[in-house]
């Protein structure tokens, strides 16, 4: 079953259970998927949906930071609940050690060295680890690998 179909099924389940918080988050995700499909005139693959979920989670985390600074704990709780729902659609993430090993292998494969090769390495790393790793951790690992 495709991830988008799973999300639609989860929406129906949330509707039946009258789980309004979860339903709202799932509807937001489906709306973002449909908007991307319409804008780009494509059918989203599972990888595209995972990238979209990553983007939405990043937005929520940025909002949490802002709401915390403004002492709006009610909004922090709402955004945190949305993050939990969205994270349920992400595949199992790689750990820091696995990310370091993958980055080291890619750097060795490309023969890259020095900070000037970061863009080249990140391009390959993004293709291979997209959806399976936090790109913030990946970026740190690439910098560490290229600047011994």
């Amino acid at each position: 079953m495709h991830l988008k179909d799973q999300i639609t099924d989860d929406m129906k389940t949330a509707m039946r259970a009258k789980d309004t918080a979860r339903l709202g988050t799932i509807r937001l995700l489906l709306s973002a998927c449909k908007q991307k499909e319409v804008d780009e005139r494509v059918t989203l693959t599972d990888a595209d949906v995972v990238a979209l979920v990553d983007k939405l989670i990043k937005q929520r985390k940025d909002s949490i930071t802002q709401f915390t600074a403004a002492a709006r704990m009610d909004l922090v709780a709402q955004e945190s609940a949305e993050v939990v729902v969205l994270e349920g659609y992400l595949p199992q993430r790689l750990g820091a050690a696995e990310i370091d090993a993958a980055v080291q292998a890619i750097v060795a494969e490309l023969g890259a060295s020095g900070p000037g090769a970061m863009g080249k390495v990140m391009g390959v790393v993004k293709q291979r680890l997209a959806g399976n790793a936090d790109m913030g951790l990946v970026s740190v690992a690439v910098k560490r690998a290229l600047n011994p």
Side-chain angles (χ1 to χ4, degrees):
M1 175 185 287
H2 293 289
L3 184 56
K4 192 171 167 195
D5 296 333
Q6 177 63 42
I7 294 168
T8 303
D9 288 346
D10 289 350
M11 181 181 72
K12 293 174 187 174
T13 304
M15 288 170 106
R16 288 183 193 111
K18 297 187 184 350
D19 186 353
T20 56
R22 184 172 175 79
L23 179 61
T25 304
I26 293 171
R27 281 183 171 160
L28 177 109
L29 175 56
L30 282 173
S31 173
C33 289
K34 287 183 186 192
Q35 184 66 43
K36 187 167 181 94
E37 286 179 337
V38 168
D39 288 349
E40 298 178 10
R41 294 185 175 102
V42 296
T43 301
L44 295 180
T45 63
D46 283 353
D48 295 332
V49 174
V50 167
L52 192 58
V53 170
D54 267 338
K55 179 181 173 186
L56 292 173
I57 288 173
K58 184 178 184 306
Q59 289 173 348
R60 297 298 167 285
K61 288 183 178 178
D62 291 344
S63 296
I64 289 170
T65 303
Q66 294 297 318
F67 292 146
T68 302
R72 293 291 310 267
M73 294 307 149
D74 55 328
L75 296 175
V76 168
Q78 180 183 348
E79 296 289 320
S80 297
E82 288 182 4
V83 167
V84 169
V85 171
L86 291 171
E87 284 178 342
Y89 297 109
L90 292 176
Q92 182 66 34
R93 296 296 187 146
L94 297 175
E98 295 165 312
I99 291 172
D100 284 338
V103 167
Q104 291 292 341
I106 292 169
V107 167
E109 177 184 320
L110 296 176
S113 63
M118 182 155 179
K120 181 179 175 184
V121 172
M122 281 300 291
V124 174
V125 169
K126 279 185 179 182
Q127 287 178 345
R128 294 189 188 169
L129 300 182
N132 294 326
D134 179 1
M135 285 300 153
L137 295 175
V138 169
S139 178
V140 170
V142 169
K143 287 178 186 172
R144 200 172 34 241
L146 294 176
N147 296 318

